[in-house]
Amino acid sequence: MDCSPSSPIHDKKMDKVVIFARVSTDRQEYQRQLVELREYCAKAGWQVVREFASKISGAKRNDERPEIMEMIDYIKANAIDRVVVLEISRLGRNTLEALKVIQNLNDNGVSLYIKNYNLETLTPSGQVNPVASLICTILIEIAQMERLTIRERMASGRNQYIRRCREQGIKMGRPSTYRKSEAMYKEQYGREISLLKKGISLRNVASITGVSVNTLRKIRNLLGDHV
């Protein structure tokens, strides 16, 4: 799909562009997005002057996404022609927040280019492309719906698993034989142990740290003379 007045692949002007990539979790990598976009920009004859990449949910507000805010500040301070993304969901999956970013780009005369749709939000003359704006809105809505669908499926699968476990008499949570080691207690409750060693009562330590008296008693009994 090409909703731009002219295909950017034939744009002879050495436009300055910013690449933006995003993945949702720390377990994912955005390197593939960056490589693909770099190659495309080189082929199109665009000069990549900055890259922004983040590992954060696209459903969050823009002010909770440092890379988005930094990118907006950057384009305001520099002469940039385009922000390039692989797909619209990389910009965000929150319709309102993603549209705010696009509006911010439009206000600064910066076109958003979505590679997988060959779509530009501004015309070569710098005017808003109404067809592209409509399609972007629809695509972001779809991305948001996909996210909600994934969450519902995950919740449904988790609930079904819990229900099956209960029906089969499988206990959930830590096994009854689970016990923390002395090292684990020392690592987790270092401050509490220090206070107990000073002879402060269980109740007072509980008031100071917020740890229950029962837990403090377990710590004292486990560590014995070491407390």
Side-chain angles (χ1 to χ4, degrees):
M1 178 184 293
D2 186 352
C3 293
S4 56
S6 62
S7 177
I9 206 70
H10 301 298
D11 191 348
K12 296 180 180 180
K13 178 176 175 287
M14 181 61 80
D15 288 351
K16 293 182 178 181
V17 304
V18 165
I19 287 176
F20 184 83
R22 182 190 66 81
V23 290
S24 300
T25 69
D26 288 335
R27 296 188 301 274
Q28 298 171 305
E29 291 297 333
Y30 45 64
Q31 195 61 35
R32 180 188 64 83
Q33 296 177 42
L34 294 176
V35 170
E36 185 171 340
L37 292 175
R38 288 170 192 156
E39 292 176 350
Y40 184 84
C41 289
K43 185 179 178 182
W46 296 341
Q47 179 186 1
V48 178
V49 295
R50 187 73 184 269
E51 294 178 353
F52 295 90
S54 63
K55 294 186 176 184
I56 193 169
S57 169
K60 289 186 176 294
R61 298 193 314 270
N62 293 334
D63 58 13
E64 296 176 298
R65 300 172 61 191
E67 288 78 10
I68 278 283
M69 303 306 295
E70 186 180 354
M71 182 184 74
I72 291 173
D73 289 341
Y74 182 82
I75 66 169
K76 288 180 178 178
N78 296 273
I80 303 299
D81 297 292
R82 290 182 178 88
V83 169
V84 183
V85 296
L86 189 62
E87 55 185 61
I88 195 67
S89 64
R90 300 307 89 200
L91 190 69
R93 289 181 181 269
N94 180 317
T95 303
L96 179 60
E97 297 297 311
L99 291 178
K100 285 181 182 178
V101 175
I102 295 175
Q103 184 61 53
N104 222 311
L105 297 179
N106 290 346
D107 292 345
N108 286 277
V110 179
S111 182
L112 175 68
Y113 179 71
I114 302 119
K115 179 184 178 296
N116 70 333
Y117 276 88
N118 196 24
L119 185 69
E120 293 232 50
T121 57
L122 297 184
T123 66
S125 62
Q127 301 299 309
V128 174
N129 184 339
V131 175
S133 296
L134 175 60
I135 294 175
C136 281
T137 302
I138 294 172
L139 292 175
I140 297 169
E141 285 283 0
I142 291 173
Q144 180 169 284
M145 289 173 60
E146 287 176 343
R147 175 180 174 272
L148 293 174
T149 300
I150 291 171
R151 289 184 62 185
E152 289 173 356
R153 286 176 178 172
M154 290 177 65
S156 175
R158 183 169 56 250
N159 291 337
Q160 290 179 16
Y161 174 74
I162 292 173
R163 185 169 60 253
R164 287 198 301 270
C165 286
R166 288 174 176 171
E167 290 173 352
Q168 296 172 19
I170 300 174
K171 293 184 178 181
M172 306 295 291
R174 291 175 175 172
S176 58
T177 55
Y178 176 82
R179 293 291 185 274
K180 285 184 179 179
S181 67
E182 181 176 330
M184 292 172 66
Y185 270 105
K186 286 181 177 179
E187 180 179 354
Q188 184 174 353
Y189 299 106
R191 183 188 178 200
E192 289 77 7
I193 292 172
S194 177
L195 293 172
L196 289 172
K197 284 182 177 180
K198 293 177 181 179
I200 301 175
S201 69
L202 295 177
R203 193 170 300 279
N204 286 337
V205 173
S207 299
I208 295 170
T209 64
V211 176
S212 71
V213 172
N214 286 338
T215 298
L216 293 171
R217 187 174 290 111
K218 288 180 182 178
I219 296 171
R220 187 181 64 183
N221 293 339
L222 177 67
L223 302 181
D225 295 338
H226 296 293
V227 174

